[in-house]
Structure formats: structure tokens, C-alpha cells
Amino acid sequence: MSKIFVILGSLFMILGVGAGAFGAHGLSSYFEKFPNLAGTYDTAVRYHVYHALGLFAAAWLADKYPVSLTTWGGYLLLAGILIFSGSLYLLVFTRQSWLGAITPIGGVAFIAGWGCLLLAAWRA
């Protein structure tokens, strides 16, 4: 399981760094037209990268504490990236504000993922 989380963490770090660079360089004229979306994009990238790093923590914990809670924790962090950051990326590019209603589901996945990792370490 740890290998999967290292691979996913690496992949999502690559995508996160790319998204950050794209936002800083490729979207500057877009954000001049829609300045209120720049902060939303920044939040999406920040949480994307933070939790991609969290996948490395999940990988380490999966080796140290090979229980189902570590697996759940890693997959919940992954779900959080896809739902939280993904909904914000879509909101920025489609300007469909209703997508913001989906974002908290990803936030709950982040919290649950970290909670699972906490419980795995606590119970070990």
C-alpha cells in the first residue's frame, strides 16, 4: 500500500507544481479579467500540494502501521484532493459558482483522512 501512496503523492506533486506554475504564468491575463478567481485558484493549488505531501505521510504510516485505517486515510486524502481542489479548479475555469457547494465534501475527506491516520498511530 505504501508504494501506491508514494506513486500517487509523486504524481499529485507533479500536477500541483504544474498547476501552480500554470496559474502564475499561463493564467495571468485570465486573472486580470476575473481577479476574484485568482485566490480561489491559489487555494486549490495550496491544498492540492499540502495533501499530496500528506500522501507521503500515509505511505510512511502504511509501512509503520499496516492497518486498514492507514489505507482509508490515504485514500481519503486522495479523495479530498480530487473533490476539494478539483471542484475549485472547475469553478475557476467554468465560473460556475455552484461548484463551490461541492468543495466542503473534499474538506471533510481531508479531515477524515487525517483522522484515520491519527487513529492508526494512536491505536498502534
Side-chain angles (χ1 to χ4, degrees), residues 43-67:
T43 299
V45 171
R46 208 166 354 104
Y47 277 75
H48 175 155
V49 170
Y50 292 161
H51 291 90
L53 290 171
L55 289 169
F56 290 105
W60 178 74
L61 287 166
D63 273 346
K64 190 164 178 65
Y65 311 117
V67 296

Side-chain angles (χ1 to χ4, degrees), residues 13 40 64 91 95:
M13 283 301 295
T40 301
K64 190 164 178 65
L91 187 152
R95 296 186 309 277

Side-chain angles (χ1 to χ4, degrees), residues 20-76:
F22 181 62
H25 304 290
L27 294 176
S28 58
S29 62
Y30 182 77
F31 291 139
E32 286 174 12
K33 287 188 222 173
F34 306 103
N36 57 318
L37 296 176
T40 301
Y41 189 84
D42 181 60
T43 299
V45 171
R46 208 166 354 104
Y47 277 75
H48 175 155
V49 170
Y50 292 161
H51 291 90
L53 290 171
L55 289 169
F56 290 105
W60 178 74
L61 287 166
D63 273 346
K64 190 164 178 65
Y65 311 117
V67 296
S68 64
L69 278 171
T70 56
T71 302
W72 273 103
Y75 282 122
L76 283 164

Side-chain angles (χ1 to χ4, degrees), residues 75-122:
Y75 282 122
L76 283 164
L77 293 180
L78 174 63
I81 293 169
L82 294 172
I83 299 167
F84 183 93
S85 294
S87 66
L88 291 179
Y89 290 138
L90 285 171
L91 187 152
V92 167
F93 292 116
T94 65
R95 296 186 309 277
Q96 298 295 313
S97 60
W98 65 267
L99 288 163
I102 297 169
T103 307
I105 297 168
V108 170
F110 286 147
I111 293 167
W114 287 111
C116 285
L117 297 178
L118 170 70
L119 284 173
W122 183 277

